[in-house]
Amino acid sequence: MNDDRVNELATKLARVEQRVQAACEAAGRSRADVKLIVVTKTYPATDVQLLSGLGVTDVGEARHPEAGRKVAECVAAGLHLTWHFVGAVQTNKAANIARYADLVHSVDRLRLVHALDAGAQRAERVLDCLVQLDLDPSDRGRTGQRSGTSIANLPAVLTAVAAADWLRLRGVMTVAPPRSDPAESFDRLSALAAEMTAEHPAADLVSAGMSDDLEQAVAAGATHLRVGRAVLGERPSLR
Ligand SMILES: *Cc1c(COP(=O)(O)O)cnc(C)c1O
């Protein structure tokens, strides 16, 4: 059973790795400049352990407390992984997430900046952050569950993260809006990232690209890819 799962993960991971390498070659980029994060949400810590055995160093999670439990299990198993929190962060869970996340990709509002900063201070660790942008041109759901700051609010959120004592602004992130051309979204993200680094030179990370659009993300200059289904298989619906 375990052997079957290792083989399945190894096969799928190798296929994704080939896609990333091909995309880097096509874009004239070095493979070393693109980090592959395997997003393991809904899958058990045992899968994370198998992936670690296959050479995965960076793992993404999207929900608390599921993420916290898995981090604890993997730490107890002696694994050293970099944990990326990529999902929407509820303000009242920010302090917990600040304890175990190494890089939070989804900072998108001032209240969350303050909650993460307070949590990081309490945990006595500086927390790396990306500001998530919502590039959906339709206004649909601006107040709904969708995450990401609007372009209009981006400067204020960036400034707040950069000014927070216990947070370190590392860059930007987006999820390509549904029914849109991901290449266009990722090009816009890269252009905004370039503007940002003029003011915040250390914030040079660009997180973009998932199972279906990692090639477009690499072409647009993404430094971090967040790939779930293509490695782990289709997830049961989250809600
Ligand atoms: C789940 C998730 C991913 C991975 O998506 P796949 O389509 O499974 O590759 C990437 N980013 C975020 C924010 C996610 O929630």
Side-chain angles (χ1 to χ4, degrees):
M1 192 57 205
N2 208 32
D3 278 0
D4 288 352
R5 185 59 173 157
V6 183
N7 291 337
E8 182 188 3
L9 291 174
T11 303
K12 290 192 163 122
L13 183 64
R15 216 173 288 150
V16 168
E17 179 54 37
Q18 278 172 2
R19 286 174 60 193
V20 176
Q21 281 179 24
C24 285
E25 249 165 70
R29 300 184 60 196
S30 161
R31 173 66 186 87
D33 294 339
V34 180
K35 180 80 78 185
L36 175 64
I37 301 165
V38 179
V39 180
T40 51
K41 66 185 180 214
T42 77
Y43 285 97
T46 48
D47 275 353
V48 181
Q49 294 172 33
L50 295 177
L51 288 165
S52 172
L54 293 168
V56 169
T57 57
D58 288 67
V59 177
E61 283 289 329
R63 292 185 303 179
H64 182 86
E66 176 194 348
R69 268 200 305 270
K70 267 190 247 177
V71 174
E73 278 183 61
C74 290
V75 168
L79 301 187
H80 297 281
L81 294 160
T82 299
W83 291 91
H84 299 259
F85 198 94
V86 303
V89 180
Q90 289 171 254
T91 309
N92 63 356
K93 295 180 178 166
N96 277 311
I97 292 164
R99 275 178 213 289
Y100 61 78
D102 294 304
L103 179 61
V104 176
H105 290 230
S106 41
V107 181
D108 63 356
R109 59 196 188 278
L110 297 180
R111 278 186 61 194
L112 178 57
V113 172
H114 301 313
L116 286 170
D117 188 38
Q121 175 169 26
R122 220 171 309 150
E124 296 187 0
R125 62 198 296 262
V126 174
L127 184 61
D128 283 344
C129 294
L130 305 182
V131 173
Q132 181 175 355
L133 255 170
D134 179 7
L135 292 170
D136 196 331
S138 70
D139 274 342
R140 171 183 60 80
R142 271 244 59 89
T143 54
Q145 303 106 326
R146 294 200 12 256
S147 343
T149 179
S150 64
I151 292 178
N153 287 333
L154 176 65
V157 180
L158 289 173
T159 303
V161 175
D165 286 338
W166 292 83
L167 305 182
R168 189 156 46 205
L169 177 64
R170 298 300 313 278
V172 286
M173 176 275 222
T174 205
V175 175
R179 292 171 302 282
S180 70
D181 176 2
E184 228 170 83
S185 297
F186 297 154
D187 282 345
R188 284 183 78 198
L189 180 70
S190 288
L192 289 161
E195 278 178 37
M196 174 191 62
T197 42
E199 209 167 318
H200 307 283
D204 57 354
L205 306 186
V206 178
S207 170
M210 315 195 336
S211 290
D212 295 333
D213 53 23
L214 70 87
E215 284 84 1
Q216 290 91 335
V218 171
T223 62
H224 286 64
L225 308 173
R226 310 177 309 268
V227 177
R229 289 170 298 125
V231 174
L232 288 131
E234 290 300 324
R235 286 180 296 274
S237 160
L238 286 182
R239 273 169 229 279

